[in-house]
Amino acid sequence: MQKLFDEVASLDRRCYEEFFLSEDILMEHAASGMAEYIRNNFAKNSKIIVVCGSGNNGADGIALARLLHGDFDTSLFYAKEPSSKMALLQAKRAQSVGVKESKELKDCDVLVDAIVGTGFSGEFSEELKNLINKMNSLVAFKIACDVPSGYKFIADVTLTMGALKKRMFLDEAKESVGEIKVLDLGISRDIYEKESNWSVLDLDDLKLPNRVKKDSHKGSYGHLAVVSGEMCGAGIMSALSALRFGSGLVTLVGFEKIEIPHCLMYSHKLPKNATALAIGMGLGAEFSTLELEKFLDNTLPVIADADIFYMQTILEILKRERVVLTPHAKEFVSLLKITNLADITIQEVQKNRFKYVEEFCKMFPNVTLLLKGANVIIAKGSEFYINPHGTSALAKGGSGDVLSGLIGALLAQGYQPLDAAINASLAHTKTALNYRGADFSLTPDDLIDGIGRL
């Protein structure tokens, strides 16, 4: 698990004021970290072009070119002439050792983007847009210095300075950041970073259900009741994934006569020994509010998904002590509207995912929210986590139903809602990453099967 920050300027100031590390020292360490990455991954004399802007991100790039000069065929391309104090200083240093300047961009072994960093908030000129489009079209291994410029440069790897930045984990940024590596700035990362209520989850944070007690039976591992609605396939997928993830018993609850896998049970009533409830997946318009209220007339922990976010019943679910909500962006828009938090578009949610998650959790501090997306956000109260390990292979109907079943299984086994959401999400994405078929071919059945091999 790694800490995540809105900005790092305050962390840099601590280095200046508390640790007596100058801006110059931090910059040299940043450049050294980038140089070390290149030396470890590319042969001597590889052709490297560093594209620099006028500010301190450009200064990092200029310092990098100086450090590589002599061992690599290195050149600087100025998107804008140096203007900041550090950029002017680094340009003098680079010139003094003979770093050459290139007037045109060509295919190369390594292309480094050092045009603008985290401090940039404006719009690119047409000239800069065209330049970045040109950079994206070149044949090269592409490295972003600190962050991809304007999140328009498409990097193979982003070498970020000091700490992880939240904006890197917006869904729209996933296309541009590539692999992310954090570089130290002259002190340990543990010292550089301060406290943060946002964290990025690592796959190693996954804690799978563990059956350590030998004297146990099916009732020892919980009983999940899955409400089966109009589209019963969704409920069946959730139920099967819950059974695969350790729930001792799983019952589909509904009013229709349907064929179900032999390993599941079916009932028209909520089982008396149920330990958790999953509701919403494939619910459709079949259930009346009165019927739903019957299922919810208890204190069981609940995983709520899909159609339930378009129903007023969600307001009753939000009052429960143990609840996990798993909306995607469209469903979250509906949830925000029903709760009178915001009446906005999907596009607005996607651009401001962190903001609206924080506002929701402030209004409903006892609710665990898992907002689906390219980067999953999991939150409760003042604790916020991002699972960045999802892949496009999961972009298929039924993947979310499997996730709901995984969460339900852990709730049924006694996990606290936040822990259930975190571990189920990590298991979900790790299973997709482990899949050996073509990314377009992953099905919910493959996911359910793969859970057993984690």
Side-chain angles (χ1 to χ4, degrees):
M1 195 177 301
Q2 304 175 71
K3 295 175 184 176
L4 192 61
F5 298 90
D6 282 310
E7 50 76 33
V8 294
S10 60
L11 305 185
D12 287 348
R13 283 196 298 274
R14 284 179 66 236
C15 291
Y16 309 150
E17 296 166 3
E18 297 182 27
F19 310 135
F20 308 102
L21 297 171
S22 68
E23 184 177 29
D24 198 357
I25 291 175
L26 265 60
M27 186 168 288
E28 288 298 317
H29 278 283
S32 293
M34 291 190 290
E36 181 180 6
Y37 177 87
I38 290 172
R39 292 182 190 280
N40 289 340
N41 289 280
F42 296 92
K44 192 173 181 179
N45 297 319
S46 295
K47 184 174 179 58
I48 298 170
I49 300 176
V50 186
V51 184
C52 299
S54 59
N56 281 4
N57 191 254
D60 288 334
I62 299 169
L64 169 65
R66 170 174 49 81
L67 291 174
L68 296 176
H69 177 67
D71 294 326
F72 295 86
D73 179 7
T74 307
S75 61
L76 286 165
F77 180 96
Y78 286 109
K80 286 188 174 182
E81 290 299 316
S83 63
S84 74
K85 178 182 176 182
M86 288 305 303
L88 289 168
L89 176 60
Q90 293 292 2
K92 284 183 181 179
R93 290 172 176 170
Q95 189 176 21
S96 71
V97 299
V99 178
K100 62 185 178 183
E101 183 179 340
S102 175
K103 295 298 183 182
E104 60 178 330
L105 293 177
K106 295 181 179 180
D107 293 344
C108 54
D109 296 304
V110 180
L111 180 68
V112 180
D113 161 35
I115 300 175
V116 293
T118 55
F120 178 78
S121 59
E123 291 290 330
F124 281 153
S125 65
E126 286 301 316
E127 184 180 4
L128 273 180
K129 288 179 184 177
N130 291 335
L131 175 62
I132 290 180
N133 287 337
K134 170 69 173 176
M135 292 164 65
N136 287 333
S137 72
L138 292 176
V139 176
F141 184 87
K142 299 181 175 75
I143 296 175
C145 171
D146 199 26
V147 296
S149 290
Y151 293 89
K152 303 300 183 186
F153 178 72
I154 309 301
D156 293 298
V157 63
T158 295
L159 303 178
T160 198
M161 314 309 174
L164 293 172
K165 291 86 177 174
K166 277 170 67 175
R167 195 183 167 193
M168 289 177 166
F169 296 95
L170 281 173
D171 280 8
E172 64 181 6
K174 190 148 188 167
E175 214 60 61
S176 60
V177 295
E179 183 183 6
I180 301 172
K181 292 185 174 292
V182 180
L183 305 179
D184 289 343
L185 295 176
I187 54 172
S188 164
R189 189 172 165 190
D190 289 338
I191 298 173
Y192 176 80
E193 295 178 341
K194 57 184 179 181
E195 290 303 311
S196 173
N197 57 352
W198 281 84
S199 299
V200 175
L201 296 168
D202 296 321
L203 288 174
D204 290 344
D205 293 321
L206 170 61
K207 295 180 177 61
L208 294 169
N210 192 5
R211 296 189 171 191
V212 295
K213 187 178 179 182
K214 295 180 180 179
D215 181 17
S216 61
H217 52 83
K218 60 190 176 185
S220 303
Y221 303 104
H223 185 169
L224 177 66
V226 180
V227 176
S228 176
E230 185 177 327
M231 293 167 281
C232 59
I236 290 173
M237 286 187 286
S238 292
L240 287 173
S241 68
L243 198 65
R244 181 72 76 175
F245 209 41
S247 186
L249 294 164
V250 181
T251 297
L252 284 165
V253 186
F255 301 119
E256 298 293 327
K257 289 185 178 180
I258 59 173
E259 292 187 10
I260 63 171
H262 64 271
C263 56
L264 302 176
M265 297 182 290
Y266 193 85
S267 174
H268 296 310
K269 295 181 180 180
L270 193 68
K272 291 182 179 179
N273 63 342
T275 55
L277 176 67
I279 190 168
M281 300 76 66
L283 196 61
E286 179 181 357
F287 287 96
S288 68
T289 301
L290 184 61
E291 288 168 336
L292 287 174
E293 287 176 353
K294 288 180 181 178
F295 287 122
L296 295 167
D297 186 20
N298 52 66
T299 60
L300 294 175
V302 170
I303 158 65
D305 187 26
D307 295 335
I308 202 75
F309 298 121
Y310 301 99
M311 303 176 179
Q312 290 296 315
T313 305
I314 192 63
L315 295 174
E316 295 303 313
I317 291 175
L318 290 171
K319 297 176 183 177
R320 302 174 81 91
E321 289 186 7
R322 295 173 294 167
V323 58
V324 179
L325 310 181
T326 58
H328 56 52
K330 183 180 178 183
E331 292 161 351
F332 192 45
V333 165
S334 176
L335 181 61
L336 292 174
K337 186 173 183 179
I338 288 175
T339 55
N340 293 317
L341 259 171
D343 187 359
I344 55 176
T345 65
I346 296 172
Q347 291 72 24
E348 287 175 288
V349 160
Q350 289 298 84
K351 288 182 179 179
N352 300 280
R353 284 164 65 84
F354 308 134
K355 171 188 172 183
Y356 287 110
V357 165
E358 287 177 336
E359 289 185 4
F360 182 87
C361 289
K362 186 176 181 181
M363 178 173 279
F364 301 101
N366 294 322
V367 173
T368 296
L369 174 68
L370 184 153
L371 179 57
K372 298 171 187 173
N375 290 310
V376 177
I377 302 176
I378 306 163
K380 181 177 185 290
S382 59
E383 294 182 68
F384 303 91
Y385 302 88
I386 292 177
N387 176 359
H389 305 292
T391 78
S392 58
L394 289 167
K396 188 168 290 187
S399 292
D401 301 314
V402 172
L403 174 61
S404 296
L406 299 179
I407 295 171
L410 296 183
L411 290 175
Q413 291 172 77
Y415 280 59
Q416 291 301 309
L418 182 60
D419 290 335
I422 288 172
N423 286 289
S425 179
L426 287 172
H428 191 241
T429 53
K430 188 171 184 178
T431 301
L433 289 171
N434 289 346
Y435 179 64
R436 294 304 173 216
D439 57 3
F440 59 79
S441 69
L442 180 69
T443 69
D445 289 338
D446 294 322
L447 279 172
I448 294 168
D449 185 55
I451 288 294
R453 293 191 293 273
L454 286 174

